Amino acid sequence: MSKTDASLELPTELSYKALLGLTEPVGLDGDVVRKIQARGIRQRTTLRIALNLTFAIMVLVLYKGIAPAWALIGWASLFCGFHIIAIYQFNTRWVWDRPQLPRGDVRRLNIYSAITAIMWGSAFAFLGTSGTIIEILGLWSIILGLMVYASLLLPTEPMATTIFIGVTSVCASLGFVFHGSYYLVIAAMGIGAMLIMACLQSARAQILYAVANSIVQEKSETVSLLLREFEDSGADWLWQTDVSRCVTHVSPRFAYALGADAKSVEGQPLLKLIAGDAWEQGQYPHELHELADRLKRRESFSNLIIPVMFKGVQHWWELSASPRHSEDGGFLGFRGVGSDVTEQRESANKISHLARFDTLTGLPNRLQLTEALANALNDAEKWRRRCGFLMIDLDRFKAVNDTLGHPMGDRLLAQVARRLQHIMTDNELCGRLGGDEFAVVIKDASDVDYMPALSRRIIESLSRPYDVDHNTLFIGASVGSALGPVDGRTVELLMRSADLALYRSKDQGGNTHHSYQHKLHANAEERRLMEFELRAALAQEQLHVEYQPVVSAIGDNALLGFEALLRWTNPKFGNVSPTKFIPLAEDARLIVAIGDFILRQACKDAMSWPEFTRIAVNISVDQLTSANFVESVISALQDSGLPAWRLELEVTESIFLRDGTLAVRVLDRIRGLGIKLSLDDFGTGYSSLGYLRNVRFDTIKIDRSFVQGAAKNTAESLAIIRAVVALADSLNIVTTAEGVETESELAMIQQLGCKKIQGYYFGRPMVFADSLELFRRPKRAVA
């Protein structure tokens, strides 16, 4: 039990010793008890004095003419003298008029009571010896009235009352003995004892009641004070209703919250005040209906949030209340507390919105999408239909971010979001998963043509040009779809299926849609296992370098050098194609370590070839932008002893899209070391004219797609190769044609003016030992 609960307990026990003032009460404050005693005595002071005077006069009248004059005068003088002394003794102020009774005053009061009893008992000595038994019975009856008065009306000071009753009963018994009426002695003592017991019982009950009432009153005053301080210092207010649910005792703060005067609010129905503008319309929010039900059922409620509309302004109140009951259990109304929580409600709504919506695009975020997908799956199971999930990834968006900056990319994402919203219907919910990934939840996708058609509309819409800050931007969209619950019965499985389908779309060049197929899961599992094996490939020497010859396009096609090409032979997967494991290495962040391995191995092997041969090594974007790339190149040259002019590093146009400034700076350092630079796959990506101006390349490699097109006399391919050769010749750059596989292709390339040739026609990639055999032949041309 807490201290607070203990302090509210009411007293139920009071010992007789404590009641008589012989000891301090246990569990009660003695000063409080004495204060109650003083209050009880003070309340009947006038009645007590009047009774004493009246009864004294009655005694004198009873014995007038019977008792001697000296006896009457003597007893009357004793009575008056005692009261005069008492007044003087207590400084003209009766002890029972004091607000509290100290222990010393209690003792003096007991002495005063004993003297009063002796004074009345002396009447039996002064007057009782005169007359017959009839007169002494009359005297005893008068004094018995005082005894009854003392026991019933003055019980709060039981010691004084007990002394008074005891002494007067003993004196009366002596008077009866004097007259020989012994049976009256027993009656006098018995009645006295009964009055004393009645006095003690009544005293205990009245004191305990008074103490309890004092505690309750003190607590009530404390609560009232706290409530006043609560209303004065806080933003909350108190409210109260009667049986008819009309407000009563309207506090100023409650009236202020209503925007009205307290007098005008008094007696108004609570629901009418809270309904505000909606009262006349009769259209109430469901929260107000809930409040009305609670009031009707007379139930307690706590922290009930109610919308309130005053003068067109929306407010939110938080109400708590409990029913009030009378002592007999009758319902009196409600009493409660209220507060305006509009600011907290608005803040909570903002937080909830931020938690469920994307701040950049305003679309639902991943959390809301997963909830919507879960509901769609449940409905699909319930109604035996199908739902759908689309994952959308923007093609070439990263190039916009890298070249034009993230603010431009953010504005582009906002336009993408608006286009998606225009496509959506009530059957779809579109949201942003993060980055440049979006998703669509389709509630009902039972029509097999629904998702492919929607995907086409999305791709067509998102592929149209964008005007962002006076820049015309072109991007595309890849879409992967999954059908629930066929492709996944849970949110996680269905999203994973759509992600696998999206990966298939991206893998095939993007700007297309693929639906989930079960083999995609097998492919993903194979990819996971392949990544695991690839991580161990370097340590287990499963990777090796092969070399493809590069020959002169002029004359006898002399061997000029090799291009280093990575190969992987795995015990589980066999000979893995580079088109499979190179992207995997890039995704797994293994490409830097693998690239360093190729560079070092190629430099080491090149030292075994004649001095006129060069070695070309492909460099990935991750390698070039790594922190220690230049140092690793220098280390490879130093460890192998290969001269810098014999090493040629091949890069693609994509290196300039991630961080063009860093790429130019690194390539300048590489060329400053004397290393040759080659631009691979020229013309297949983004325009490279700016890169040719910023970086001095030694070689431009023409992609095999143009070579094959030229061999078929495709006008576009012929025009592109002529333009590239002319541009390279003007910049003093050598051109290399890749993918030459037939004699006709060779003849066309030679006719177009390319300086070097690479392809299966002159040699497939070969192991290092086979490359050495080429130099042991009598003629250095490669057949």
Side-chain angles (χ1 to χ4, degrees):
M1 181 181 295
S2 64
K3 292 182 179 179
T4 304
D5 295 335
S7 63
L8 294 176
E9 287 186 351
L10 300 181
T12 57
E13 295 293 334
L14 185 62
S15 65
Y16 285 117
K17 288 185 177 181
L19 189 66
L20 295 172
L22 302 177
T23 60
E24 286 292 320
V26 178
L28 295 175
D29 189 347
D31 291 334
V32 173
V33 174
R34 288 187 287 274
K35 181 179 179 180
I36 294 171
Q37 293 173 339
R39 185 169 63 247
I41 296 173
R42 182 174 63 250
Q43 290 173 349
R44 297 178 177 85
T45 299
T46 303
L47 177 61
R48 184 170 53 256
I49 295 174
L51 284 176
N52 271 275
L53 291 175
T54 301
F55 285 179
I57 292 171
M58 290 175 61
V59 169
L60 293 174
V61 171
L62 175 64
Y63 278 95
K64 182 180 179 181
I66 298 175
W70 65 268
L72 292 172
I73 295 172
W75 185 79
S77 299
L78 182 63
F79 183 87
C80 294
F82 169 73
H83 282 84
I84 293 173
I85 293 172
I87 293 174
Y88 176 78
Q89 182 67 27
F90 294 114
N91 298 322
T92 70
R93 186 176 183 187
W94 299 98
V95 67
W96 44 77
D97 285 335
R98 298 183 181 180
Q100 282 187 316
L101 282 179
R103 293 183 65 85
D105 283 348
V106 172
R107 287 192 297 269
R108 296 167 66 186
L109 182 61
N110 292 337
I111 295 173
Y112 171 79
S113 180
I115 296 174
T116 303
I118 294 172
M119 178 195 68
W120 279 103
S122 65
F124 288 98
F126 280 94
L127 307 176
T129 55
S130 303
T132 63
I133 190 63
I134 299 301
E135 284 76 24
I136 199 167
L137 281 174
L139 177 59
W140 181 55
S141 298
I142 293 171
I143 296 176
L144 183 61
L146 285 173
M147 293 165 61
V148 172
Y149 158 77
S151 64
L152 297 180
L153 300 181
L154 291 176
T156 53
E157 185 30 67
M159 175 59 84
T161 304
T162 299
I163 293 174
F164 179 79
I165 294 175
V167 172
T168 51
S169 296
V170 170
C171 292
S173 298
L174 293 175
F176 290 135
V177 169
F178 179 79
H179 286 279
S181 301
Y182 299 105
Y183 62 92
L184 291 177
V185 173
I186 297 173
M189 294 302 293
I191 292 174
M194 292 175 60
L195 290 176
I196 289 174
M197 291 302 298
C199 171
L200 293 177
Q201 292 294 332
S202 179
R204 174 186 284 172
Q206 290 195 34
I207 289 177
L208 289 177
Y209 173 80
V211 170
N213 189 55
S214 175
I215 293 174
V216 171
Q217 184 177 358
E218 181 181 355
K219 297 301 178 184
S220 178
E221 292 174 355
T222 302
V223 170
S224 299
L225 179 61
L226 291 175
L227 290 176
R228 285 195 299 271
E229 290 181 354
F230 168 77
E231 279 212 327
D232 293 340
S233 61
D236 299 350
W237 63 82
L238 302 175
W239 59 274
Q240 183 173 311
T241 65
D242 57 15
V243 179
S244 302
R245 297 194 287 275
C246 296
V247 295
T248 60
H249 301 88
V250 179
S251 65
R253 192 172 292 276
F254 182 31
Y256 176 78
L258 291 167
D261 182 71
K263 292 183 179 178
S264 63
V265 174
E266 186 78 25
Q268 293 288 329
L270 176 65
L271 294 177
K272 178 181 179 181
L273 295 173
I274 295 178
D277 302 337
W279 181 259
E280 300 297 335
Q281 303 171 1
Q283 299 177 350
Y284 313 127
H286 71 276
E287 294 90 348
L288 195 61
H289 285 288
E290 183 178 357
L291 173 62
D293 290 340
R294 296 290 184 90
L295 295 176
K296 183 178 180 180
R297 294 195 299 266
R298 299 176 180 179
E299 294 178 351
S300 299
F301 54 89
S302 178
N303 303 325
L304 188 62
I305 304 297
I306 305 294
V308 184
M309 183 73 73
F310 295 133
K311 300 178 181 178
V313 179
Q314 178 74 61
H315 293 268
W316 291 90
W317 283 4
E318 183 180 80
L319 300 178
S320 300
S322 298
R324 298 182 298 120
H325 296 91
S326 61
E327 293 182 359
D328 57 359
F331 177 70
L332 298 178
F334 276 87
R335 179 183 289 123
V337 63
S339 60
D340 192 320
V341 294
T342 304
E343 292 185 3
Q344 297 92 314
R345 179 78 178 196
E346 291 176 351
S347 298
N349 289 340
K350 289 180 181 178
I351 294 173
S352 176
H353 186 274
L354 291 175
R356 298 174 59 80
F357 287 87
D358 178 57
T359 55
L360 176 62
T361 62
L363 295 177
N365 61 7
R366 180 181 289 271
L367 173 63
Q368 190 173 170
L369 284 171
T370 54
E371 291 178 354
L373 184 56
N375 293 333
L377 281 170
N378 291 334
D379 290 343
E381 292 279 2
K382 179 179 179 181
W383 302 109
R384 298 185 179 276
R385 65 188 187 194
R386 295 181 178 182
C387 64
F389 187 69
L390 302 181
M391 290 190 72
I392 307 165
D393 187 86
L394 302 182
D395 301 330
R396 300 183 297 280
F397 175 77
K398 187 175 183 302
V400 176
N401 251 355
D402 292 340
T403 56
L404 300 178
H406 289 278
M408 183 74 73
D410 290 344
R411 288 188 281 276
L412 176 59
L413 288 175
Q415 290 195 24
V416 169
R418 286 195 289 272
R419 292 190 184 185
L420 287 172
Q421 285 179 310
H422 287 316
I423 300 173
M424 297 301 108
T425 66
D426 293 338
N427 190 39
E428 301 97 26
L429 175 69
C430 174
R432 183 184 178 210
L433 294 175
D436 61 344
E437 286 191 340
F438 295 82
V440 178
V441 176
I442 303 172
K443 301 175 185 176
D444 185 0
S446 301
D447 185 352
V448 293
D449 297 327
Y450 191 93
M451 285 202 299
L454 177 60
S455 299
R456 285 194 298 271
R457 291 200 303 272
I458 290 173
I459 293 173
E460 291 172 2
S461 177
L462 299 187
S463 299
R464 293 199 304 268
Y466 296 84
D467 184 10
V468 183
D469 292 347
H470 307 292
N471 292 287
T472 301
L473 304 178
F474 293 89
I475 61 172
S478 299
V479 181
S481 64
L483 205 60
V486 178
D487 298 332
R489 292 187 173 274
T490 66
V491 171
E492 293 77 11
L493 289 177
L494 195 59
M495 292 182 72
R496 186 170 183 270
S497 298
D499 192 33
L500 291 174
L502 174 63
Y503 184 82
R504 176 72 182 277
S505 297
K506 298 289 286 186
D507 194 44
Q508 293 193 355
N511 213 42
T512 185
H513 161 253
H514 273 87
S515 57
Y516 173 76
Q517 297 174 349
H518 291 292
K519 67 179 181 179
L520 295 179
H521 182 75
N523 294 341
E525 182 64 18
E526 180 187 27
R527 181 180 175 85
R528 186 187 67 81
L529 294 175
M530 189 175 292
E531 179 183 333
F532 179 79
E533 293 293 326
L534 184 59
R535 290 184 180 276
L538 272 174
Q540 297 175 3
E541 298 182 351
Q542 296 176 8
L543 298 176
H544 66 278
V545 181
E546 294 186 355
Y547 301 97
Q548 186 174 30
V550 178
V551 302
S552 173
I554 304 171
D556 58 358
N557 303 127
L559 178 62
L560 301 177
F562 295 90
E563 179 180 0
L565 301 172
L566 184 65
R567 296 293 183 261
W568 178 26
T569 303
N570 181 263
K572 292 183 178 179
F573 298 103
N575 293 324
V576 185
S577 170
T579 57
K580 269 192 172 183
F581 72 81
I582 292 298
L584 186 62
E586 291 175 343
D587 292 343
R589 298 291 189 266
L590 299 173
I591 195 65
V592 174
I594 293 175
D596 188 61
F597 162 75
I598 300 171
L599 179 63
R600 290 181 177 276
Q601 187 65 46
C603 290
K604 177 183 175 183
D605 291 344
M607 287 299 294
S608 300
W609 299 329
E611 291 185 358
F612 62 83
T613 56
R614 291 178 179 172
I615 181 65
V617 179
N618 290 281
I619 301 300
S620 70
V621 179
D622 290 331
Q623 273 184 281
L624 189 72
T625 55
S626 62
N628 300 317
F629 174 66
V630 177
E631 287 73 14
S632 66
V633 173
I634 296 173
S635 175
L637 292 174
Q638 290 176 344
D639 292 346
S640 64
L642 184 72
W645 65 270
R646 292 183 61 188
L647 176 62
E648 185 173 78
L649 298 183
E650 294 187 6
V651 297
T652 62
E653 298 165 331
S654 61
I655 65 169
F656 299 101
L657 298 180
R658 177 176 295 185
D659 193 336
T661 303
L662 175 61
V664 170
R665 187 167 63 249
V666 173
L667 291 176
D668 283 344
R669 290 185 61 191
I670 291 295
R671 206 168 193 285
L673 297 173
I675 300 171
K676 304 300 181 181
L677 295 179
S678 175
L679 183 59
D680 198 7
D681 298 335
F682 183 79
T684 59
Y686 302 92
S687 173
S688 304
L689 296 180
Y691 311 141
L692 294 177
R693 181 188 61 190
N694 295 328
V695 179
R696 181 70 173 88
F697 286 98
D698 299 282
T699 302
I700 293 178
K701 303 186 75 171
I702 301 173
D703 187 69
R704 60 174 297 181
S705 61
F706 298 122
V707 173
Q708 292 172 347
K712 297 175 183 178
N713 290 317
T714 304
E716 291 82 0
S717 297
L718 289 170
I720 290 174
I721 293 178
R722 288 193 183 101
V724 171
V725 171
L727 175 65
D729 289 344
S730 65
L731 296 174
N732 197 25
I733 299 175
V734 177
T735 52
T736 300
E738 293 184 297
V740 177
E741 299 180 355
T742 65
E743 188 172 353
S744 62
E745 291 176 352
L746 171 62
M748 180 62 68
I749 290 302
Q750 289 175 331
Q751 181 183 348
L752 292 173
C754 290
K755 301 299 188 294
K756 293 190 291 185
I757 303 173
Q758 180 181 347
Y760 285 178
Y761 183 76
F762 295 99
R764 293 176 177 271
M766 60 190 69
V767 297
F768 172 65
D770 292 341
S771 71
L772 292 176
E773 291 295 324
L774 296 180
F775 299 104
R776 297 190 179 101
R777 297 177 183 176
K779 189 178 181 180
R780 286 186 289 122
V782 179

